[in-house]
Every structure is written in structure tokens, then in C-alpha cells.
Amino acid sequence: MINEKKIEELLESSKDVGTEELKEIIVKARTCKGLTLEETSKLLNIHDQGLLEELFQAAKYIKEQIYGKRVVLFAPLYTSNECNNNCLYCGFRAANKELHRKTLNVDEVVHEAKEIERQGHKRILMVCGEDKNKTHIKHITDALAAVYANCDIRRINVNAAPLTIEEFKELKKAGIGTYQLFQETYHRETYKKMHPTGKKADYDWRLTAMERALEAGIDDLGIGPLLGLYDYKFEVLAVLQHSEYLMNKFGVGPHTISVPRLRPALGSALQVAPYPVSDSDFKKLVAILRLAVPYTGIILSTREGAALRDELLSLGVSQVSAGSKTSPGGYGHEEEKSDQFYTTDHRTLNQMIKTICDSGYIPSFCTACYRRCRTGENFMELAKEGEIHTFCQPNAVLTFKENLIDYGAPEDRAAGEEIIKKALEEIEDAELKEAAMAKLKLIEEGQRDLYF
Ligand code: SAM
Ligand code: SF4
């Protein structure tokens, strides 16, 4: 699945590529058909400022072609910080005796979900440590069932340790949106150093998790490397190899790629990132991912600071978290010393919405695709034909309208309405535009959860 030798050879052979060839690759990428690993490795070696600018423009163009102007918002919900593993970089590691440990019961999970919902979110990413007695599959499925039953949260994605096929089937039954799992580092030797003990020490068990999920019927998957553990160029090519492998074997690539960058954490055994990724390289790699796999969503969390996140909106990011807490119970009340890592962007959801609007994008709380079965192969087909924004744009309009009415600050409403008006005008299909306007009217009259 991951061919380290090939990656190293590619990186070595693409060191001295000329400007003309790099320009041609960027032009080719604008056809939205993706790039080969070889082409991608060449782009990773761009240093020239002018070429970087061309790369960024292409990323912006591709994002808008495929997804339109919408940016999807979500918040993480940490159900437990108990963990048997010892990942060197993580605050939840078993060896961290300073951390205040907590596993939420279902009532506490629902309480947290309601707090998240109170901000205006409709989409949650559930996260927990890996503790065989505390965060077993039942802990996760009970949490999903309770939130779906008691809140107006419409989609729950899950980021949790690799499961067996049987357990993945349970997760599917419980109504999971995306199953997300980061390989952390695709570089085997580094992986071994970073994960000295516990179940997570098994590189292959983790790498094969997505195959088991697919075999269990979950076809909406999120992958990613934890940037900073090893050379980012290697990780970018490896995550693309992973994606290509899934695509070839199952006809379904990952729905999303996340780009978490290592952050300081209480009790972390890493004082500094072994392979720090500069802001400038970070922007470059996000843009390159956008060119390489145009139909795969890119997720950005509050690990990154406000200014950089705002810049990245136009470089291909399609989903961002906002108003996040990384400790179990963190939304209800701030508990000291229970966070996984320190976040950087502390803006509220409403502030993030305003920024998205000011940048010319439209915030979206859409959860339609998985409820309309536009997942896996179905989603890929639509995305590859450039059809997915047909749904994204009107669904963004509808869900943003709901948000403005139910949660918007009075002073932001007029500007929000302007964005909605503009986004409606951009819907090319006359019939669809009319249907969206009819649904908007119903929302004004009090109906909710309308989508295409
Ligand atoms: N325990 C499960 C696991 O390890 O897959 C799932 C949850 S874990 C809390 C979610 C992700 O947080 C990890 O996969 C890792 O990439 C990320 N993470 C851990 N420590 C981090 C840190 N110090 N900075 C940034 N991200 C971190
Ligand atoms: Fe546990 Fe996950 Fe943190 Fe590792 S990254 S210590 S497995 S919570």
C-alpha cells in the first residue's frame, strides 16, 4: 500500500525540475483531473515565489470548480481522554500523569452536543482515546445514538482507534457519517519511534483500518498524516499512495484528507516537532493536495491560527472546525489539564462565519450527502464530473439561512442575507434556483432541515 522506496526515489529524481515543466503541471491540474505521484513530487519542490503564486491560483480555481464557494463547518466532541497508548506527541498518552482523566457518560455526551448545537453547529466529529475498558465500541455507538436521538445534530463523524470489521459494522448501524483515522506518519521507522507501546504500536493494523471499514460497508472515510513527525513531502506522497490504493482496490478513495500539524501538548514527550513544517510549506502542501486529488475534501482544524486559516480558505480547504474544545466536557465547563493539545484559533463559530463571508465564501452546515446516499462511489462520480457543487451551493444557502435565523447575531444578518442572495444568483440551473428559493421561503416560515 505504501511503497517507501518509490516515494524516496520520486523525491530524489524530482529535485531539479525546470520552471517550464512545473508550469505545465499546474496548467494540467486546472483540468481538475488530478495529478500523478510523479507530478505531485515535482510540485513539492517548488520554491520560486512566482510559481507558488500560480500554484495557489490553481488551487483556488479547482476548489471553486468542484465545490463552489461553500466552506463546511463542524466541531469536535471529545467523549474521553483515557488512553492505553503512549504516542509521544499526545497529551492523552498513558504516561502523562498530570492529565485529569475523564470518560463522559451518555448524558454528559448529550450535554456537550447540546452546547455545540447552541453555537449553531449541525455536524460533530466525535473523538476519543483508545482504552479497551472505557472507549470500546459500545461507548461510541451509545454516544452516537444518544446524540442523534436528543439533539438536532444531523451528522456525526468519528475519529477513533482502528476497529475490527464487526465493530465497524456496529458503527455503520449507529449512523456514522465519516470514519476518520490519521496514520500519523506513513514512515514505518518513525512510526515505531512515535508509538512505543500499546495497541497503536502496530503500524499495519492502523494502515489496514480503512479496508476493514470499507468491507463493513462504511464508504465515507477520512485519512491524513500528522504533520511534523517526518518529512512532509514524504507524507504527502504517502497519503496519496494510500488514497490511490483504496481507489484501485475498492473504487472509492477517501472522502477527505486532513492536514493536522503537530501542536504542543501538556505531557507530550516531544518538546519540538522532529520535522517542523513552516507556514509557507504548509500552504504549499495544502494547495498541492488540492491539485492532486481535486475531488477529495480537505479538512483544517483550529490547531492552526486565525490568519493562516483565513489564507488557507482560498487554497483548497473545504471543511473547517470552529469554536472547538479538545477535552471531554470542555464545552460545558472548562476543566484544567484535560486537553489533548493546545488549539490556536479561538474564534467563536459566529466569528468564523463572519470571516468566511468576508472572504467571499459561504458557510455551510450541510449534512445532505450521506443522508441522500451520495457517499463512496456515488459521491466520487458526481465530484469527478464536477457535479457535486450543484448540490453544495443550494444546500449551503439553505443551511446558512437557517443558521442566520436561529443563531445569527443581529448585526451580521444583513451581510449574511447579501451572501445568500449572491450565492443564489450563482446557481446556474434555473429549475434548481427556483426550488432553492421555494425552500428558503419555507425556512423563513419556520421549516427546518430542508436540502437537496
Ligand atoms: N485515539 C485515536 C487515535 O489516536 O487515532 C483517535 C483520537 S486522537 C485524540 C486524534 C488525532 O489527534 C490523532 O490521530 C493525532 O493525529 C492528533 N494529535 C494527537 N496529538 C496531537 C498534537 N500534539 N498536536 C496535533 N494533533 C495531535
Ligand atoms: Fe491515545 Fe490517540 Fe492520543 Fe495516541 S493520539 S495517545 S492513541 S488519544
Side-chain angles (χ1 to χ4, degrees):
M1 205 183 310
I2 304 300
N3 185 340
E4 292 194 5
K5 192 158 171 277
K6 182 170 173 197
I7 294 177
E8 271 148 21
E9 280 168 9
L10 279 174
L11 287 173
E12 190 52 42
S13 65
S14 53
K15 272 188 177 148
D16 301 311
V17 179
T19 307
E20 280 318 304
E21 193 180 346
L22 292 169
K23 279 180 185 250
E24 273 167 30
I25 296 172
I26 296 173
V27 169
K28 181 198 157 190
R30 280 176 170 262
T31 61
C32 299
K33 300 264 188 287
L35 296 175
T36 64
L37 273 189
E38 198 177 344
E39 290 162 339
T40 308
S41 76
K42 289 176 179 164
L43 293 189
L44 284 166
N45 284 313
I46 291 183
H47 298 294
D48 176 83
Q49 207 48 45
L51 276 175
L52 273 179
E53 217 26 71
E54 281 183 40
L55 174 72
F56 294 163
Q57 289 304 325
K60 181 171 188 210
Y61 171 82
I62 293 166
K63 181 197 161 178
E64 290 182 13
Q65 285 300 303
I66 306 232
Y67 292 96
K69 291 231 158 115
R70 63 93 165 125
V71 178
V72 171
L73 288 146
F74 73 96
L77 192 170
Y78 280 68
T79 63
S80 173
N81 61 8
E82 301 198 61
C83 193
N84 304 135
N85 294 317
N86 252 316
C87 313
L88 296 194
Y89 44 82
C90 179
F92 292 175
R93 60 200 296 262
N96 181 8
K97 302 297 178 209
E98 276 183 90
L99 195 80
H100 178 249
R101 303 279 170 177
K102 171 108 184 132
T103 298
L104 304 183
N105 63 34
V106 281
D107 292 341
E108 290 167 325
V109 171
V110 168
H111 186 259
E112 283 290 275
K114 284 192 184 290
E115 286 295 320
I116 293 174
E117 192 186 324
R118 224 156 50 87
Q119 294 184 28
H121 282 291
K122 298 290 176 206
R123 184 189 274 249
I124 276 179
L125 172 67
M126 250 183 212
V127 187
C128 59
E130 181 174 20
D131 182 313
K132 61 181 183 314
N133 298 317
K134 303 274 175 59
T135 62
H136 38 68
I137 183 67
K138 196 162 175 314
H139 163 80
I140 303 173
T141 51
D142 284 353
L144 254 78
V147 173
Y148 278 136
N150 294 294
C151 309
D152 188 25
I153 293 295
R154 301 170 187 165
R155 177 181 175 121
I156 307 173
N157 300 332
V158 174
N159 183 319
L163 301 171
T164 62
I165 295 180
E166 283 314 308
E167 289 168 334
F168 275 127
K169 284 185 182 161
E170 295 290 307
L171 210 49
K172 168 91 182 162
K173 240 195 302 172
I176 186 179
T178 305
Y179 173 67
Q180 182 184 70
L181 184 74
F182 307 148
Q183 185 62 25
E184 320 297 16
T185 170
Y186 285 92
H187 189 252
R188 221 172 248 278
E189 200 186 308
T190 306
Y191 187 93
K192 213 167 145 195
K193 280 191 221 148
M194 295 294 154
H195 308 102
T197 56
K199 192 128 196 255
K200 195 157 164 184
D202 188 343
Y203 176 103
D204 292 308
W205 176 247
R206 197 169 183 88
L207 189 64
T208 51
M210 294 305 174
E211 293 185 63
R212 293 192 297 283
L214 281 161
E215 275 163 34
I218 300 177
D219 61 2
D220 197 325
L221 303 169
I223 61 175
L226 177 57
L227 297 160
L229 300 181
Y230 189 61
D231 179 8
Y232 78 88
K233 295 180 184 174
F234 179 97
E235 303 291 11
V236 167
L237 294 185
V239 82
L240 293 173
Q241 264 189 350
H242 190 182
S243 163
E244 210 172 271
Y245 173 88
L246 295 173
M247 195 65 181
N248 292 340
K249 186 162 174 190
F250 297 92
V252 180
H255 183 54
T256 54
I257 292 180
S258 295
V259 286
R261 192 161 54 149
L262 196 64
R263 292 283 306 140
L266 171 86
S268 161
L270 293 181
Q271 291 308 315
V272 285
Y275 286 80
V277 180
S278 68
D279 285 358
S280 145
D281 285 339
F282 190 61
K283 285 196 282 185
K284 180 170 84 174
L285 79 86
V286 168
I288 289 175
L289 283 172
R290 180 69 303 141
L291 268 58
V293 279
Y295 46 85
T296 305
I298 298 181
I299 303 185
L300 187 68
S301 74
T302 56
R303 289 174 180 87
E304 302 305 331
L308 184 62
R309 292 216 317 156
D310 296 352
E311 270 191 80
L312 286 160
L313 283 179
S314 65
L315 295 185
V317 167
S318 52
Q319 286 188 35
V320 292
S321 50
S324 307
K325 303 282 181 204
T326 67
S327 63
Y331 293 96
H333 59 279
E334 204 76 60
E335 178 96 49
E336 259 188 62
K337 296 189 172 176
S338 56
D339 292 283
Q340 191 197 8
F341 51 81
Y342 304 118
T343 54
T344 313
D345 186 348
H346 303 294
R347 285 175 292 185
T348 62
L349 176 60
N350 272 350
Q351 287 169 330
M352 193 65 212
I353 288 174
K354 192 167 180 318
T355 302
I356 292 172
C357 291
D358 289 346
S359 314
Y361 291 96
I362 176 163
S364 175
F365 296 87
C366 177
T367 55
C369 273
Y370 95 113
R371 294 195 286 164
R372 286 265 193 235
C373 296
R374 291 192 295 262
T375 60
E377 250 174 301
N378 292 340
F379 179 89
M380 292 287 163
E381 258 166 44
L382 287 168
K384 281 186 169 170
E385 286 160 16
E387 291 293 323
I388 202 69
H389 74 262
T390 313
F391 301 106
C392 292
Q393 185 90 348
N395 284 334
V397 165
L398 297 178
T399 54
F400 182 37
K401 176 80 177 184
E402 266 193 16
N403 178 277
L404 267 184
I405 297 175
D406 295 342
Y407 306 96
E411 64 274 21
D412 295 336
R413 291 223 175 109
E417 290 294 347
E418 268 311 300
I419 298 279
I420 288 177
K421 205 167 134 213
K422 216 167 133 231
L424 261 180
E425 279 162 15
E426 283 166 9
I427 299 175
E428 282 164 16
D429 184 321
E431 235 173 83
L432 189 62
K433 191 188 292 185
E434 214 166 290
M437 282 158 72
K439 282 190 170 32
L440 273 178
K441 195 153 183 300
L442 292 174
I443 290 173
E444 278 168 3
E445 288 165 9
Q447 285 200 40
R448 290 291 174 267
D449 202 12
L450 303 177
Y451 54 89
F452 292 95

